[in-house]
Amino acid sequence: MSTSAPADPKKSAHEHAVFLSALQKAADAYPKPQGVKFSYGTAGFRTLGERLPSVMFCCALLAVLRSKKLGGAAIGVMITASHNPEQDNGVKLVDPSGEMLDPTWESHATLLANCTSTESLITTFIDLAHHLRVELDACAPSSIIYARDTRPSGKKLVEAFEAGLSAFQGLKVVDLGVHTTPVLHYVVRATNARDGEQGKPTVEGYYERMAGAFKTLIGNRGPLPTLYVDCANGVGAPAISTLSSYLGTSLPLQAMNDSTTTPGALNSQCGADYVKTRQALPPSVEDAGLLDKPDTRSCSLDGDADRIIYYYLGEGGKFRLLDGDKIAGLVALFLMDLVKKAKLGQEGGEDTAEVGVVQTAYANGSSTKYLKGRGVPVTCVPTGVKHLHHAAQKYDIGVYFEANGHGTVLFSPSFLSTLAVHEPTSPDSSTATKQLLALSQLINQAVGDALSDMLLVEVVLAHRGWTAVEWDAAYEDLPNRLVKVEVADRFLFETTDAERKLTSPAGLQAVLDEAVGKVEMGRSFVRPSGTEDCVRVYAEAKTTAGVDTLATTVSDLVKQYSKTQ
Ligand SMILES: CC(=O)N[C@H]1[C@@H](OP(=O)(O)O)O[C@H](CO)[C@@H](O)[C@@H]1O
Ligand SMILES: [Mg+2]
């Protein structure tokens, strides 16, 4: 197994035998359920919580392997199923930088999770370690940080995960307990950073850094009007309560849907996904009548608090959605103004930094037009945060958001170095430079984060002196529809051009183009979901009638072509 000669072969062989026996004993308690095929997708493993104990065990083995492979760097493990129903759960690994697991390791996770016996699991694991040239002995350091959300199945899944860890000697293990997904990503990133340059690697460090930067940015503009936060009855509820205590009076937060113990309440009739897909208020928020007061804004988090959607009631009590696209527009233009004011160029010249926005094909056409019309470079990438994150890293300041409210803003290391040594030539440029530095601390640099994004929106609104109404005035969304179509085999559907065109089934794209051409300002695309067993159809058009026709026509064509293959 080892490529280098062990110092004491006898001792080493003995240790290995002890390890194998411990692994076998632990694994026997977590057999793979029969008839289930697990797959590590965009968001890790995700299915009914009761099916996942064996997967959790495997994830412990893989996390240790990855940490040892990376010289003992801390690897994160998050147990959550985000916006999915309460009975679901899931698990994903987080790389040392706080980003999603390296995609080349996803197949290793799938391989381990599908082993049907303890023997095959152990053989597969040992072979994998050999193939990846990883030393499994206790001398090779390994460090794991894990957390879970509030789902009832979480506790048992943590036990299964810990059973996997227990087979190894000399691990450094940190159990953060019940926290949001972005907290876990932050702590992993900060733990692996040099000299605390990403903040203190603790939960307290996360809240302190964010709240401190917020107070700096708000200055004497506070206290802001109360913000109503729908917590989806998930882990966002305790997180909002903790954040509130750090914020003091600078931003009064009133939590709604904050019951984490009511059975079945999680993500039910509330939360960011509900609001975005239904384009309506959660019934509980409507009943509370809180938004009837003028200019009151509200937001919804998802079940693990990495997504956020804003909304308010406009003229005549009409529901108005402020989604990920609207957040990206608000934030990108604010950052561009700050970069300009900071005069980062030579001898007080103007901007040298590029602020870009990354979207997916789900971004509303009006948002893309709005950004491009204001000189903001826009990149379109396939669905999934890892694609957006990587594309955003190419800009000095990369703003990325999925329309559903998952996103963040990344500051490149070279841009941050420029800011750090910049010598402002005027009070305005000095203020803007300080504000950009504070923003880089406010905004989660590892992953989309509902709490940090919420504070970012509040900062921009306060600086602009805007309510939700002025923010919303940027552009009018084109009417749009998102439809799920159930087909026998969604993998028949293959895409190209950032998922905007189909290459299979043969001939379908040509008839789709024809259908789109018949509708004024029509746009539509079809792709297989990466997280659910369905094909998704997106359509938008100038009018509601047009978009309804287009969505129905395209869905019908999808059904028809899925049968003719
Ligand atoms: C249209 C849509 O909202 N798709 C979601 C959904 O992906 P699908 O591959 O479409 O199932 O879940 C992903 C993971 O949470 C998220 O990144 C993505 O935005
Ligand atoms: Mg989520």
Side-chain angles (χ1 to χ4, degrees), residues 213-226 247-252 297 458-465:
F214 178 77
K215 286 181 186 164
T216 302
L217 284 155
I218 289 297
N220 55 10
R221 291 173 179 83
L224 306 180
T226 300
L247 291 177
T249 54
S250 57
L251 173 63
R297 73 235 179 280
E458 294 301 317
V459 163
V460 183
L461 292 180
H463 278 245
R464 295 284 200 210

Coordinates of all heavy atoms in Angstrom, one line a residue, residues 213-226 247-252 297 458-465:
A213 N -17.8 44.0 10.3 CA -17.8 44.7 9.0 C -19.1 45.4 8.7 O -19.1 46.5 8.1 CB -17.5 43.7 7.9
F214 N -20.2 44.8 9.0 CA -21.5 45.5 8.8 C -21.6 46.8 9.5 O -22.0 47.8 9.0 CB -22.6 44.5 9.2 CG -24.0 45.1 9.0 CD1 -24.6 45.2 7.8 CD2 -24.7 45.6 10.1 CE1 -25.8 45.7 7.6 CE2 -26.0 46.2 10.0 CZ -26.5 46.2 8.7
K215 N -21.2 46.8 10.8 CA -21.3 48.0 11.6 C -20.4 49.1 11.0 O -20.8 50.3 11.0 CB -20.9 47.7 13.0 CG -22.0 47.0 13.8 CD -21.6 46.7 15.2 CE -22.6 45.9 16.0 NZ -22.0 45.3 17.2
T216 N -19.2 48.7 10.6 CA -18.3 49.7 9.9 C -18.9 50.3 8.7 O -18.9 51.5 8.5 CB -17.0 49.0 9.5 OG1 -16.4 48.3 10.6 CG2 -16.0 49.9 8.8
L217 N -19.6 49.4 7.9 CA -20.1 49.9 6.6 C -21.4 50.8 6.9 O -21.7 51.7 6.1 CB -20.5 48.7 5.7 CG -19.2 48.1 5.1 CD1 -19.5 46.6 4.7 CD2 -18.8 48.9 3.8
I218 N -22.2 50.4 7.9 CA -23.4 51.2 8.2 C -23.1 52.5 8.8 O -23.7 53.5 8.5 CB -24.4 50.4 9.0 CG1 -24.9 49.2 8.2 CG2 -25.5 51.2 9.6 CD1 -25.8 49.6 7.0
G219 N -22.0 52.6 9.6 CA -21.6 53.8 10.2 C -22.7 54.5 10.9 O -23.4 53.8 11.7
N220 N -22.9 55.8 10.6 CA -24.0 56.5 11.3 C -25.3 56.5 10.5 O -26.2 57.3 10.7 CB -23.6 57.9 11.7 CG -23.2 58.7 10.4 OD1 -23.3 58.1 9.3 ND2 -22.6 59.8 10.6
R221 N -25.4 55.5 9.6 CA -26.7 55.4 8.8 C -27.7 54.6 9.5 O -28.9 54.6 9.1 CB -26.4 54.7 7.4 CG -25.5 55.5 6.5 CD -25.2 54.7 5.3 NE -24.4 55.5 4.3 CZ -23.1 55.8 4.4 NH1 -22.4 55.2 5.4 NH2 -22.5 56.5 3.6
G222 N -27.4 54.0 10.6 CA -28.4 53.1 11.3 C -29.0 53.9 12.4 O -28.7 55.1 12.6
P223 N -29.9 53.3 13.2 CA -30.4 51.9 12.9 C -31.4 51.9 11.7 O -32.1 52.8 11.5 CB -31.2 51.6 14.2 CG -31.5 52.9 14.9 CD -30.5 53.9 14.4
L224 N -31.3 50.7 11.0 CA -32.1 50.5 9.8 C -33.5 50.1 10.2 O -33.7 49.6 11.4 CB -31.5 49.5 8.9 CG -30.0 49.8 8.5 CD1 -29.5 48.7 7.6 CD2 -29.9 51.1 7.8
P225 N -34.5 50.2 9.3 CA -35.8 49.7 9.7 C -35.8 48.2 9.9 O -35.0 47.5 9.2 CB -36.7 50.1 8.5 CG -35.8 50.7 7.5 CD -34.4 50.9 8.0
T226 N -36.8 47.7 10.7 CA -36.8 46.3 10.9 C -36.9 45.5 9.6 O -37.7 45.8 8.7 CB -38.1 46.0 11.8 OG1 -38.0 46.7 13.0 CG2 -38.2 44.5 12.1
L247 N -25.3 42.1 16.1 CA -25.6 43.3 15.4 C -26.1 44.4 16.3 O -26.0 45.6 16.0 CB -26.7 43.1 14.3 CG -26.3 42.2 13.1 CD1 -27.5 42.0 12.2 CD2 -25.1 42.9 12.4
G248 N -26.7 44.0 17.5 CA -27.2 45.0 18.4 C -28.4 45.8 17.7 O -29.2 45.2 17.0
T249 N -28.3 47.1 17.9 CA -29.5 47.9 17.3 C -29.2 48.3 15.9 O -30.1 48.9 15.3 CB -29.7 49.1 18.1 OG1 -28.4 49.8 18.2 CG2 -30.2 48.8 19.5
S250 N -28.1 48.0 15.3 CA -27.8 48.5 13.9 C -28.8 48.0 12.9 O -29.1 48.7 11.9 CB -26.3 48.1 13.5 OG -26.1 46.7 13.6
L251 N -29.3 46.8 13.1 CA -30.3 46.2 12.2 C -31.2 45.3 12.9 O -30.9 44.2 13.3 CB -29.6 45.4 11.0 CG -30.6 44.6 10.1 CD1 -31.5 45.6 9.4 CD2 -29.8 43.8 9.1
P252 N -32.4 45.8 13.3 CA -33.4 45.0 14.0 C -33.9 43.9 13.0 O -34.4 44.2 12.0 CB -34.5 45.9 14.4 CG -34.0 47.3 14.0 CD -33.0 47.2 13.0
R297 N -39.7 45.7 3.7 CA -39.1 44.6 3.0 C -38.9 43.4 3.8 O -38.8 43.5 5.0 CB -37.7 45.0 2.4 CG -36.6 45.1 3.4 CD -36.0 46.5 3.4 NE -34.9 46.5 4.4 CZ -35.1 46.7 5.7 NH1 -36.4 46.8 6.2 NH2 -34.1 46.8 6.6
E458 N -28.5 45.0 2.7 CA -28.9 46.1 3.6 C -27.9 47.3 3.6 O -28.2 48.4 3.6 CB -29.0 45.6 5.1 CG -30.2 44.6 5.3 CD -31.5 45.2 4.9 OE1 -31.8 46.4 5.3 OE2 -32.3 44.5 4.2
V459 N -26.6 46.9 3.4 CA -25.6 47.9 3.3 C -25.8 48.8 2.0 O -25.8 50.0 2.1 CB -24.1 47.3 3.3 CG1 -23.1 48.3 2.8 CG2 -23.8 46.8 4.7
V460 N -26.0 48.1 0.9 CA -26.2 48.8 -0.3 C -27.4 49.7 -0.3 O -27.4 50.9 -0.7 CB -26.2 47.9 -1.6 CG1 -26.3 48.7 -2.8 CG2 -25.0 47.0 -1.6
L461 N -28.5 49.2 0.2 CA -29.7 50.0 0.3 C -29.5 51.2 1.2 O -29.9 52.3 0.9 CB -30.9 49.2 0.9 CG -31.4 48.0 -0.1 CD1 -32.6 47.3 0.6 CD2 -31.9 48.6 -1.4
A462 N -28.8 51.0 2.3 CA -28.6 52.1 3.3 C -27.7 53.2 2.6 O -27.9 54.4 2.7 CB -27.9 51.6 4.5
H463 N -26.6 52.7 1.9 CA -25.8 53.7 1.2 C -26.5 54.4 0.1 O -26.2 55.6 -0.1 CB -24.5 53.0 0.6 CG -23.5 52.7 1.7 ND1 -22.2 53.3 1.6 CD2 -23.5 52.0 2.8 CE1 -21.6 53.0 2.7 NE2 -22.3 52.2 3.4
R464 N -27.3 53.7 -0.6 CA -28.0 54.4 -1.7 C -29.2 55.2 -1.2 O -29.7 56.0 -2.0 CB -28.7 53.3 -2.7 CG -27.6 52.4 -3.4 CD -27.0 53.2 -4.6 NE -26.4 52.3 -5.6 CZ -25.4 52.6 -6.3 NH1 -24.8 53.8 -6.1 NH2 -24.9 51.8 -7.2
G465 N -29.6 55.0 0.0 CA -30.8 55.6 0.6 C -32.1 55.1 -0.1 O -33.0 55.9 -0.3

